[in-house]
């Protein structure tokens, strides 16, 4: 059984994966008629989680999803415990040969959210407030997961550049109160994310290759960083509401310690997500968005079907195993249950198919440069991983892939392998340039 069809689709996929493997997941997706969530679920399920980070205050309160009517005014967010102000300070610009102070406006939409997560993730991961962006804007955007990049007036590169300029020109005031101590636990005034950023973008794509975070912002980030999964961020990068819902749940759910669920009103959730839509429309948007978010965060145990939003204790997004009680995984006994596609028939070997086309194999051993079966893996390595050694990538895959011993169909192995190769090449290229 794939579970109650009223569940978010990611929960249904997770149950199907436990019960019957990828074939069962595809069957559920076919009935639900949603290819987008299926692709997102499989990619996140197949790839090892990649740590990403966001400041907890920015998980609890979001940037605008659309351009405000007056985007030169500060963004103000408050929900009783938290308060956030993002102030678009004017910057010195050269207009018609004369220096002019002009506000770039507040950041909005999906681009600054993705850029912000990337910048903060790099700072936390490398334990440095100096963040290297890449050789040019095209390369940087590809590292963020954008494959089609254009430089026209409304091209993706210019849209991203505009939002990054807005983001890094702002000053931030962040405050929250410690309800237990009854005192101010964290208050930062007039903190800039960056104190060194040129923001230039020439026709050849050249731009400021490195930013330096202000010491005050960096020190607070280190203390209040919320772990996310970069693989999931790439799947959500085109939808600001999905990014907001994902980061909010990633912050809130692992912090629920009570065995009892916590309930919040729809108005409270709207404040967190910075939404000004009417209540009925907002609820419908969140319920639709939750389908995609649940596909990349299936352990998120949230009920958005009623008059209130019900939040249950859930693992953080970096937890790879499907462990939530809503996914019926109960301790070690559940782990011993094999997927239906890999159940052995009496007297059959592990590789015996349950039905034609379902032959199960281990990942190829030894060199991928030889053998008929290894050819498909070798071709992917040569195409997607150049200029790096195919065998070196295979060794890294065998050493780092946590589920390497489980038998899979070759179609599953090839998809997992391709995702790994793409990430391997990106990381090696980034490392070699720094």
């Amino acid at each position: 059984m794939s579970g109650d069809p009223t569940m978010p689709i990611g929960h249904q996929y997770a149950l199907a994966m436990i019960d019957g493997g990828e074939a069962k997941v595809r069957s559920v997706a076919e009935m639900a008629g949603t290819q987008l969530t299926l692709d997102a679920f499989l990619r996140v399920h197949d790839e090892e989680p990649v740590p990403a980070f966001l400041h907890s205050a920015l998980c609890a309160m979001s940037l605008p999803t659309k351009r405000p009517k007056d985007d030169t005014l500060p963004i103000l967010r408050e929900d009783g415990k938290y308060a956030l102000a993002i102030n678009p300070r004017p910057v010195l610009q050269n207009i018609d040969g004369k220096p002019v102070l002009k506000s770039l406006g507040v950041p909005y939409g999906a681009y600054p959210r993705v850029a912000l997560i990337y910048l903060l993730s790099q700072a936390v991961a490398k334990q440095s407030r100096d963040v290297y962006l890449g050789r040019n804007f095209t390369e940087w955007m590809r590292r963020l997961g954008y494959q089609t990049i254009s430089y026209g007036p409304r091209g993706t590169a210019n849209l991203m550049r505009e939002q990054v300029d807005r983001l890094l020109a702002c000053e931030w005031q962040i405050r929250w109160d410690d309800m237990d101590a009854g005192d101010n636990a964290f208050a930062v005034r007039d903190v800039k994310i960056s104190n060194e950023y040129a923001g230039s973008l020439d026709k050849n794509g050249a731009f400021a290759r490195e930013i330096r975070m202000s010491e005050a912002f960096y020190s607070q980030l280190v203390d209040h960083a919320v772990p996310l999964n970069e693989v999931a961020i790439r799947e959500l990068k085109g939808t600001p509401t999905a990014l907001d819902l994902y980061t909010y749940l990633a912050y809130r759910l692992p912090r629920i310690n009570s065995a009892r669920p916590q309930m919040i009103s729809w108005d409270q959730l709207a404040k967190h997500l910075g939404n000004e839509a009417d209540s009925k429309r907002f609820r419908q948007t969140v319920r639709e968005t939750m389908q995609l978010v649940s596909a990349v965060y299936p352990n998120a145990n949230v009920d958005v079907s009623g008059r209130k939003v019900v939040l249950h204790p859930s693992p953080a997004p970096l937890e790879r195993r499907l462990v939530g009680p809503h996914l019926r995984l109960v301790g070690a006994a559940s782990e011993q249950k094999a997927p239906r596609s890999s159940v052995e028939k009496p007297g059959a070997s592990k590789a015996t198919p349950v039905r034609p086309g379902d032959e199960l194999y281990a990942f190829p051993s030894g060199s991928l440069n030889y053998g008929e079966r290894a050819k498909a893996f070798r071709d992917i390595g040569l195409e997607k991983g150049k200029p790096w050694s195919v065998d070196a990538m295979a060794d890294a895959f065998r050493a780092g892939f946590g589920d390497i011993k489980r038998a899979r169909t070759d179609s599953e192995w090839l998809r997992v392998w391709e995702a790994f190769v793409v990430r391997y090449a990106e990381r090696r290229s980034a490392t070699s340039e720094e």
Side-chain angles (χ1 to χ4, degrees), residues 10 13-14 17 21-27 29 34-48 231 235 294-296 298 320 401 408 411-412 415-416 419:
Y13 290 158
M17 183 64 76
E22 183 182 337
K24 186 66 177 292
V25 175
R26 292 187 178 278
S27 175
T34 170
Q35 186 68 35
L36 178 65
T37 56
L38 171 65
D39 292 342
F41 175 83
L42 290 177
R43 280 192 288 261
V44 173
H45 180 268
D46 285 345
E47 287 196 54
E48 286 295 316
V231 184
E235 297 299 322
S294 71
V296 302
R320 183 168 176 78
F401 188 64
R408 301 167 180 253
S411 63
E412 288 182 86
R415 186 177 63 254
V416 178

Side-chain angles (χ1 to χ4, degrees), residues 62-105:
S62 306
L63 301 171
T65 56
K66 297 180 180 179
R67 185 170 190 164
K69 292 181 180 179
D70 187 348
D71 60 357
T72 63
L73 296 176
I75 301 169
L76 298 175
R77 295 279 188 263
E78 183 273 328
D79 74 342
K81 181 179 180 180
Y82 297 91
L84 168 69
I86 304 177
N87 190 15
R89 298 283 182 153
V91 296
L92 188 63
Q93 296 179 307
N94 192 326
I95 300 178
D96 297 330
K98 297 182 179 180
V100 176
L101 276 174
K102 181 180 178 181
S103 173
L104 301 178

Side-chain angles (χ1 to χ4, degrees), residues 355-373:
R355 59 179 182 268
D358 279 352
E359 292 87 349
L360 303 176
Y361 301 98
F363 185 77
S365 60
S367 174
L368 295 184
N369 290 313
Y370 307 98
E372 185 62 30
R373 179 170 172 250

Side-chain angles (χ1 to χ4, degrees), residues 388-397 417 420 424 428:
W388 311 106
S389 163
V390 173
D391 281 345
M393 287 188 287
D395 288 341
F397 180 71
W417 167 244
F420 173 83
Y424 180 96
R428 288 295 303 271

Side-chain angles (χ1 to χ4, degrees), residues 40 133 137-139 158 167 204 230 234 249 252 321 381:
L133 301 180
F137 216 80
T138 299
E139 176 184 307
N158 281 295
L167 184 72
N204 65 358
E230 181 185 299
R234 293 204 306 266
L249 295 178
R252 184 71 184 272
R321 292 174 58 248

Side-chain angles (χ1 to χ4, degrees), residues 206-381:
F207 78 125
R209 297 177 59 187
E210 186 174 282
I211 69 165
R212 168 166 288 182
M213 291 187 177
S214 66
E215 185 65 44
F217 187 90
Y218 173 73
S219 64
Q220 292 296 338
L221 169 65
V222 171
D223 291 339
H224 301 282
V226 174
L228 310 170
N229 184 358
E230 181 185 299
V231 184
I233 298 299
R234 293 204 306 266
E235 297 299 322
L236 305 177
K237 67 181 181 296
T239 311
T241 301
L243 288 165
D244 289 346
L245 187 57
Y246 172 82
T247 54
Y248 172 69
L249 295 178
Y251 163 70
R252 184 71 184 272
L253 297 181
R255 287 166 173 76
I256 300 176
N257 296 320
S258 171
R260 299 177 58 186
Q262 294 184 3
M263 291 187 291
I264 61 172
S265 69
W266 283 97
D267 286 342
Q268 285 176 303
L269 183 62
K271 283 186 177 181
H272 286 303
L273 303 186
N275 195 284
E276 299 177 357
D278 66 272
S279 179
K280 185 176 180 181
R281 180 178 298 177
F282 175 69
R283 294 184 190 193
Q284 182 62 26
T285 298
V286 169
R287 286 166 179 154
E288 292 174 355
T289 303
M290 189 62 202
Q291 301 298 309
L292 179 58
V293 172
S294 71
V296 302
Y297 187 7
N299 279 326
N301 193 357
V302 181
D303 183 357
V304 295
S305 63
R307 294 184 178 181
K308 288 185 176 289
V309 178
V310 184
L311 307 174
H312 298 266
S314 304
L318 287 177
E319 172 62 64
R320 183 168 176 78
R321 292 174 58 248
L322 302 173
V323 298
H326 56 304
L327 300 180
R328 294 190 321 186
L329 206 57
V330 187
S334 294
E335 294 180 356
Q336 294 168 1
K337 180 180 178 182
R340 291 178 186 170
S341 61
S342 62
V343 173
E344 296 180 12
K345 294 183 178 180
S349 69
K350 264 184 122 175
T352 300
V354 174
R355 59 179 182 268
D358 279 352
E359 292 87 349
L360 303 176
Y361 301 98
F363 185 77
S365 60
S367 174
L368 295 184
N369 290 313
Y370 307 98
E372 185 62 30
R373 179 170 172 250
K375 182 179 185 303
F377 295 88
R378 180 170 63 254
D379 290 345
I380 289 175

